[in-house]
């Protein structure tokens, strides 16, 4: 059966496919759908393609277009929230990232679409992630206690009853687990140390559903370390926390003030209009210092969790502190070709997000919820381009105006033009189609 891609021709695209690492090719005369079609044609030629836009919404749109064009697996990696605080937030973006990374790292996806923010982030390495994956079939020998310990190391939360992704629960010889990359929960029944049966189950009704021939349980955390790395990482975290707590001691506010009276304190003659506000300010500072110390103790608690060989919830935002051996998107998904759609907008978004992250980090550090060493979590535009130049790169835009400072070695004009929106007016579309056919357009 033919795919829509079989009917698409892009004159001159073969020149872009011949791009070499360090020698970018610029392609103009298209739109965002043409960029997706171009990626599809590259995939049809046997290339693994990383397609980048300036934001997650455009990346998701191109991923949808690619699926329509090719019928192939296309992963979409969102930037997600970089959690610098302990405030409760939605885990949905984390689950979508894990789903995309699972598809990218196991080789099922020939395409990966990503926004600028995903490209900026330093990430955990894919090797520990791959090594912790679990595959089970009925009849396999597996220790239930060892399996639950491993799930904890994989970032799963142990609960009384599984209600969502990233959780597991044990009831006797039954283990329920919901992988972030899965569509349903998995129920594993044991007979002694043997897997007796595998079923999917509904998290709402808790009822078992379809029998499964095999299951793959993927990690619930993307920033994982090898077992021997956790203790050194915990020590690095402690050192960073202690360094952030050391500051220049301010002189005591009341050093030159007389003692406050203990009796008749409400009498007007004892009230000093200059001293009283300073007393109140001192009390506020002491309260703030106490809260700051409490937050640093929480960070120390997370370091202890790390020392025990387990990841903590915010480990992704600490990965650049815990190890020098971090990774990027191209370590998880090895592309044969990278396509930037509207590179100038990608560069603008990177610069804006980089500045915004620095401001967010400053605020989090002042509250005692982060440390200055986390500033390396986000990469600059120059850092990104240093990585991109290691791969064949094609930069696409509607017009050859600004390419984000990228200097192409060759330029290709597809000769395409944009279309007006029809807004449900089928008669206008019909007339245009008839006109294009008369002109011999395909």
């Amino acid at each position: 059966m033919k795919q829509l891609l079989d009917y698409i021709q892009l004159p001159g695209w073969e020149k872009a496919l011949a791009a070499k690492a360090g020698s970018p090719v610029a392609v103009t005369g298209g739109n965002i759908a043409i960029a997706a079609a171009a990626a599809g044609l590259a995939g049809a030629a046997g290339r693994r393609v990383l397609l980048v836009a300036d934001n997650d919404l455009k990346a998701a749109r191109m991923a949808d277009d690619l699926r329509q064009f090719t019928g192939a697996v296309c992963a979409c990696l969102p930037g997600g929230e970089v959690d610098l605080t302990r405030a409760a937030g939605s885990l949905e973006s984390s689950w979508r990232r894990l789903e995309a990374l699972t598809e990218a790292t196991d080789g099922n996806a020939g395409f990966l679409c990503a926004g600028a923010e995903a490209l900026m982030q330093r990430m955990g390495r894919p090797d520990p992630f791959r090594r912790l994956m679990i595959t089970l079939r009925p009849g396999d020998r597996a220790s239930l206690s060892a399996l639950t310990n491993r799930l904890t190391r994989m970032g799963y939360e142990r609960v009384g009853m599984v209600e969502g992704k990233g959780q597991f629960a044990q009831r006797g010889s039954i283990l329920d687990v919901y992988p972030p990359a899965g569509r349903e929960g998995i129920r594993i029944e044991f007979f002694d140390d043997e897997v007796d049966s595998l079923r999917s189950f509904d998290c709402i009704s808790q009822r078992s559903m379809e029998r499964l021939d095999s299951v793959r349980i993927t990690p619930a955390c993307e920033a994982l370390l090898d077992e021997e790395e956790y203790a050194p990482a915990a020590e690095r975290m402690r050192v960073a926390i202690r360094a952030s707590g050391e500051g220049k001691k301010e002189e005591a506010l009341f050093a030159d003030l007389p003692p406050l009276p203990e009796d008749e304190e409400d009498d007007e003659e004892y009230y000093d209009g200059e001293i009283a506000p300073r007393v109140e300010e001192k009390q506020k500072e002491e309260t703030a210092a106490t809260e700051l110390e409490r937050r640093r103790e929480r960070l120390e608690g997370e370091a202890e969790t790390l020392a025990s060989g387990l990841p903590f919830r915010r480990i992704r935002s600490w990965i650049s502190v815990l190890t020098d051996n971090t990774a990027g998107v191209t370590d998880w998904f090895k592309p044969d070709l990278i396509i930037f759609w509207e590179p100038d907008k990608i560069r603008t978004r990177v610069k804006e997000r980089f500045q915004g992250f620095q401001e967010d980090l400053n605020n989090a550090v002042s509250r005692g919820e982060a440390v200055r060493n986390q500033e390396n979590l986000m990469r600059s535009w120059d850092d990104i381009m240093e990585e991109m130049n290691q791969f064949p790169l094609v930069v696409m835009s509607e017009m050859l105006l600004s390419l984000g400072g990228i200097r192409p070695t060759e330029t290709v004009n597809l000769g395409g033009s944009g279309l007006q929106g029809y807004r449900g007016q089928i008669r206008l579309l019909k007339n245009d189609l008839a006109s294009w056919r008369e002109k011999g357009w395909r």
Side-chain angles (χ1 to χ4, degrees):
M1 178 179 177
K2 285 193 173 184
Q3 299 291 338
L4 181 59
L5 189 68
D6 298 326
Y7 299 95
I8 297 177
Q9 296 179 3
L10 299 179
W13 179 243
E14 61 279 358
K15 295 180 181 179
L17 284 178
K20 305 295 183 183
S23 301
V25 174
V27 177
T28 63
N31 55 28
I32 189 170
I34 294 297
L41 291 173
R47 313 290 176 85
R48 283 167 60 86
V49 184
L50 171 61
L51 186 54
V52 183
D54 60 296
N55 60 56
D56 290 349
L57 189 62
K58 289 181 182 178
R61 176 181 170 184
M62 289 193 293
D64 287 339
D65 287 345
L66 263 170
R67 295 185 191 106
Q68 294 294 325
F69 286 141
T70 66
V73 176
C74 177
C76 183
L77 180 67
E81 299 177 8
V82 178
D83 191 3
L84 293 173
T85 73
R86 296 181 64 90
S90 172
L91 292 173
E92 183 58 33
S93 63
S94 297
W95 303 148
R96 287 191 287 117
R97 279 182 62 85
L98 284 166
E99 183 176 353
L101 291 174
T102 298
E103 291 178 336
T105 195
D106 64 12
N108 287 339
F111 306 96
L112 177 65
C113 297
E117 290 186 38
L119 221 59
M120 294 177 67
Q121 297 171 26
R122 300 188 193 276
M123 305 162 62
R125 307 187 314 278
D127 290 343
F129 186 92
R130 292 191 191 104
R131 281 193 282 268
L132 282 172
M133 288 184 181
I134 301 170
T135 301
L136 292 174
R137 297 177 180 84
D140 285 353
R141 305 289 296 184
S143 166
L144 183 53
S145 60
L147 186 55
T148 56
N149 289 336
R150 185 165 180 172
L151 288 172
T152 306
R153 287 180 52 212
M154 292 164 67
Y156 283 84
E157 177 189 7
R158 185 165 192 159
V159 294
M161 183 175 69
V162 172
E163 296 179 329
K165 294 185 175 184
Q167 298 178 343
F168 78 93
Q170 180 188 351
R171 300 187 309 280
S173 61
I174 297 176
L175 179 66
D176 288 346
V177 58
Y178 199 156
R183 296 288 183 265
E184 297 168 332
I186 299 170
R187 177 158 293 158
I188 309 168
E189 296 186 36
F190 285 83
F191 180 77
D192 195 16
D193 281 346
E194 181 178 312
V195 177
D196 188 48
S197 71
L198 298 170
R199 294 175 181 268
S200 60
F201 76 94
D202 181 69
C203 287
I204 298 176
S205 67
Q206 294 294 305
R207 295 182 61 181
S208 297
M209 298 166 61
E210 181 183 357
R211 280 189 176 275
L212 304 172
D213 295 328
S214 66
V215 297
R216 185 179 63 164
I217 303 174
T218 56
C221 174
E222 66 180 74
L224 297 171
L225 302 172
D226 285 326
E227 192 170 355
E228 67 276 6
E229 294 180 293
Y230 278 96
E235 183 56 31
R236 289 176 63 130
M237 186 173 179
R238 293 191 192 100
V239 169
I241 294 169
R242 287 194 291 267
S244 70
E246 294 174 358
K248 184 179 179 181
K249 294 185 178 179
E250 298 181 359
E251 296 182 0
L253 182 60
F254 298 108
D256 300 322
L257 297 180
L260 293 175
E262 295 181 0
D263 300 323
E264 304 181 46
E265 57 186 354
D266 293 332
D267 198 315
E268 290 185 4
E269 64 178 292
Y270 288 105
Y271 182 81
D272 190 312
E274 295 183 1
I275 296 178
R278 299 176 70 184
V279 172
E280 183 179 354
E281 183 65 26
K282 179 62 176 179
Q283 291 174 340
K284 289 181 179 179
E285 289 182 357
E286 290 176 348
T287 301
T290 300
E291 178 63 20
L292 195 64
E293 185 61 29
R294 185 174 66 86
R295 289 174 177 172
R296 286 187 179 135
E297 288 176 357
R298 286 181 176 176
L299 294 181
E300 290 282 359
E302 290 176 334
E304 290 301 318
T305 299
L306 204 63
S308 67
L310 302 175
F312 57 94
R313 186 174 69 87
R314 297 192 300 157
I315 189 173
R316 179 178 155 218
S317 64
W318 281 83
I319 194 65
S320 61
V321 176
L322 305 181
T323 178
D324 295 326
N325 192 12
T326 57
V329 171
T330 57
D331 294 300
W332 287 77
F333 180 85
K334 296 288 187 182
D336 301 311
L337 178 69
I338 298 175
I339 300 177
F340 276 12
W341 168 248
E342 297 180 320
D344 195 52
K345 290 185 179 180
I346 295 175
R347 181 177 65 170
T348 299
R349 178 56 183 163
V350 166
K351 290 183 175 181
E352 290 175 350
R353 186 65 189 97
F354 189 82
Q355 182 179 353
F357 173 75
Q358 297 301 322
E359 293 173 357
D360 292 342
L361 180 61
N362 288 338
N363 292 333
V365 169
S366 68
R367 295 192 301 269
E369 295 182 309
V371 298
R372 179 56 54 195
N373 302 42
Q374 290 173 265
E375 63 188 356
N376 293 324
L377 181 65
M378 289 289 191
R379 300 185 298 174
S380 67
W381 174 250
D382 290 339
D383 292 335
I384 291 172
M385 288 311 303
E386 183 178 351
E387 178 187 1
M388 296 299 104
N389 284 328
Q390 299 175 24
F391 302 89
L393 175 64
V394 173
V395 290
M396 299 186 68
S397 62
E398 292 186 9
M399 295 177 289
L400 190 63
L401 294 177
S402 178
L403 299 175
I406 299 172
R407 297 182 178 179
T409 58
E410 189 168 4
T411 302
V412 176
N413 187 353
L414 299 179
S417 60
L419 294 176
Q420 63 177 351
Y422 293 98
R423 299 182 181 180
Q425 300 180 62
I426 303 301
R427 186 179 296 278
L428 292 178
L429 174 60
K430 176 185 175 182
N431 293 338
D432 281 347
L433 287 173
S435 173
W436 297 334
R437 293 189 66 177
E438 289 177 2
K439 294 177 181 179
W441 291 7
R442 298 178 62 186

